[in-house]
Amino acid sequence: MEKVFLLICITILADRCNFPPKEFTLIGKWKAIESSGSDANKMFEIRIEDGNEITFEKGNIAIDKLRNNTYEAFENSLHISFPKEEYYYIINRHKTDPEKMFLTPADEYYSIACDEGCSFLYKKIQ
């Protein structure tokens, strides 16, 4: 019986090794699911029920609920341009899930904009 169980375990592990791990890509549709920050005493996380959705397409097109925008991404920096305003973020990839990312608001020099730290957790939905 032990040999059968061991054989099943080895088969399952070998089968899982055939699937390449998913890699992070900004391209896709993302939805904000959580915000986090600090109130100087402790860190807090707030679930977002109906979060903002944004789609990043090839050709540097970013689509949100209001309009098409353009974006530029360099390593861990993201710049989204609206017709009359611009937003800058630092991208932090989730440690274990390539379908999640943290966007931290920044200034045009990519310095973090929040004194106590803040970020939004986005999950890829498409």
Side-chain angles (χ1 to χ4, degrees), residues 87-116:
Y87 293 95
Y88 299 87
Y89 296 98
I90 296 171
I91 301 171
N92 291 302
R93 299 173 183 155
H94 194 273
K95 291 179 183 175
T96 58
D97 189 347
E99 305 239 327
K100 290 182 180 177
M101 70 174 167
F102 294 94
L103 292 183
T104 304
D107 63 17
E108 65 269 16
Y109 305 108
Y110 295 100
S111 296
I112 296 175
C114 304
D115 289 337
E116 283 90 25

Side-chain angles (χ1 to χ4, degrees), residues 6-126:
L6 184 59
L7 182 61
I8 290 171
C9 289
I10 291 172
T11 304
I12 291 171
L13 288 174
D15 187 51
R16 288 194 161 256
C17 292
N18 291 335
F19 295 108
K22 290 184 177 181
E23 293 198 26
F24 176 83
T25 177
L26 189 60
I27 304 297
K29 187 172 189 176
W30 296 85
K31 182 174 186 166
I33 60 170
E34 184 179 283
S35 68
S36 61
S38 172
D39 65 1
N41 290 326
K42 64 178 180 173
M43 292 293 296
F44 62 86
E45 296 173 350
I46 301 170
R47 288 272 181 224
I48 300 173
E49 293 298 322
D50 190 23
N52 180 41
E53 292 181 7
I54 188 163
T55 302
F56 296 99
E57 296 180 346
K58 292 181 180 178
N60 291 19
I61 303 295
I63 303 167
D64 66 359
K65 65 182 178 181
L66 300 176
R67 60 188 163 264
N68 289 353
N69 311 297
T70 60
Y71 75 93
E72 295 176 296
F74 310 100
E75 295 179 9
N76 66 342
S77 303
L78 175 64
H79 173 214
I80 302 175
S81 296
F82 291 88
K84 294 184 180 179
E85 51 193 337
E86 298 183 37
Y87 293 95
Y88 299 87
Y89 296 98
I90 296 171
I91 301 171
N92 291 302
R93 299 173 183 155
H94 194 273
K95 291 179 183 175
T96 58
D97 189 347
E99 305 239 327
K100 290 182 180 177
M101 70 174 167
F102 294 94
L103 292 183
T104 304
D107 63 17
E108 65 269 16
Y109 305 108
Y110 295 100
S111 296
I112 296 175
C114 304
D115 289 337
E116 283 90 25
C118 61
S119 65
F120 299 94
L121 176 61
Y122 280 76
K123 179 173 178 51
K124 189 176 273 189
I125 56 176
Q126 283 182 346

